[in-house]
Amino acid sequence: MIRINLLREPSRKKPSAAAAIGQSKWLFLFLGLLALEFLLLGGWYYSMGGTLEDQQTDIQELQAEQQRLAVLQAQLEKFQREKQELEQRLTVVRRLQQSQEGPVKLMNSLVQSIPDAPNLWLTNLTQRGTVLTVEGRAYAIDPIADFMTRLTGRSPIKTVELDFWEREEGWVNFKITCGLE
C-alpha cells in the first residue's frame, strides 16, 4: 500500500538568533521572577516563624503573670476574710462596751446612794427589763429612807418605790423596786 501525505511539511527552519535571544530573555525573566517569589516567601516564612516564637514567649509570660496574680488574688481573699472577721469582732466588742455602760452606771448609782454609815447592806439585786429589784437589810428604817432619797433622780433610775419592809430579830428587811430608763 502506498501512502501519500497531503499535508505540507512544516518548514524546518532553524530559529534565527534574534528569536533565540527573545526566547531566552523571557526565560530569564521568568526564572528571575520565580527566584524573587521564593525570596519573598522565604522572608515571609522567616518573619512568621519569629512572630510565632514571640507569641509563644508572650503566652508563657502571660501564663506566669496569671499564676502570680492567682496567688495575689488568694492572698487578697484571705486578707478580706481576716478583715471581715476582725470587723465582726470589733462590732461585738463595741456592743459589749455599750451594753456594759448601762450596768456600770446602774451599779455606780447604787453604790453612791448607799448611806455613809455602815448600817445598810444590799443582799440581792435583780433586773428584769426596765425593772430593778433591790433587797437588803438595815439596823433601822431611817437608812432605808435615806437610801431611797439618794436613789431618786440618779441616772439611769427613774422611779423608786418601797415594796415592803419588816422587822426581824433586830434587823429591818426591805425590798425596793426601781424603774429604769
Side-chain angles (χ1 to χ4, degrees):
M1 184 164 329
I2 302 178
R3 291 185 187 182
I4 300 176
N5 188 2
L6 298 176
L7 292 176
R8 273 205 270 159
E9 245 184 74
S11 66
R12 293 194 181 202
K13 292 188 202 174
K14 291 188 181 180
S16 68
I21 291 174
Q23 285 179 353
S24 64
K25 279 184 188 177
W26 286 109
L27 180 64
F28 285 124
L29 182 63
F30 175 73
L31 290 176
L33 287 174
L34 187 63
L36 181 63
E37 186 176 339
F38 279 124
L39 283 174
L40 289 175
L41 285 175
W44 179 77
Y45 179 77
Y46 178 75
S47 69
M48 285 294 123
T51 304
L52 180 63
E53 289 174 6
D54 291 343
Q55 288 177 350
Q56 288 175 344
T57 304
D58 290 344
I59 288 172
Q60 290 173 352
E61 289 173 359
L62 289 174
Q63 287 173 343
E65 182 72 11
Q66 182 181 15
Q67 290 174 351
R68 186 182 71 81
L69 291 177
V71 169
L72 289 176
Q73 174 128 14
Q75 288 177 345
L76 177 66
E77 290 172 357
K78 177 184 170 189
F79 289 141
Q80 286 176 340
R81 281 192 308 271
E82 289 175 358
K83 178 185 173 191
Q84 186 177 13
E85 289 175 9
L86 288 175
E87 286 175 350
Q88 289 174 348
R89 289 180 184 174
L90 282 174
T91 303
V92 169
V93 168
R94 286 185 190 121
R95 245 187 287 140
L96 287 174
Q97 286 175 340
Q98 289 173 351
S99 67
Q100 284 178 342
E101 289 177 7
V104 169
K105 286 181 183 178
L106 179 62
M107 290 305 290
N108 284 339
S109 296
L110 286 172
V111 169
Q112 292 170 356
S113 299
I114 295 175
D116 295 331
N119 52 14
L120 182 124
W121 293 267
L122 301 179
T123 58
N124 191 13
L125 295 173
T126 307
Q127 181 181 357
R128 290 197 179 118
T130 60
V131 177
L132 175 70
T133 305
V134 180
E135 295 179 27
R137 298 178 147 185
Y139 286 126
I141 296 176
D142 294 339
I144 298 171
D146 189 28
F147 178 63
M148 288 177 61
T149 304
R150 288 180 168 196
L151 272 178
T152 305
R154 286 202 184 261
S155 178
I157 298 171
K158 282 191 206 176
T159 61
V160 178
E161 295 178 14
L162 180 64
D163 286 347
F164 78 90
W165 65 274
E166 65 181 1
R167 289 195 185 268
E168 182 179 301
E169 300 177 13
W171 293 97
V172 177
N173 293 323
F174 66 91
K175 182 178 181 181
I176 298 173
T177 303
C178 303
L180 303 175
E181 295 176 344

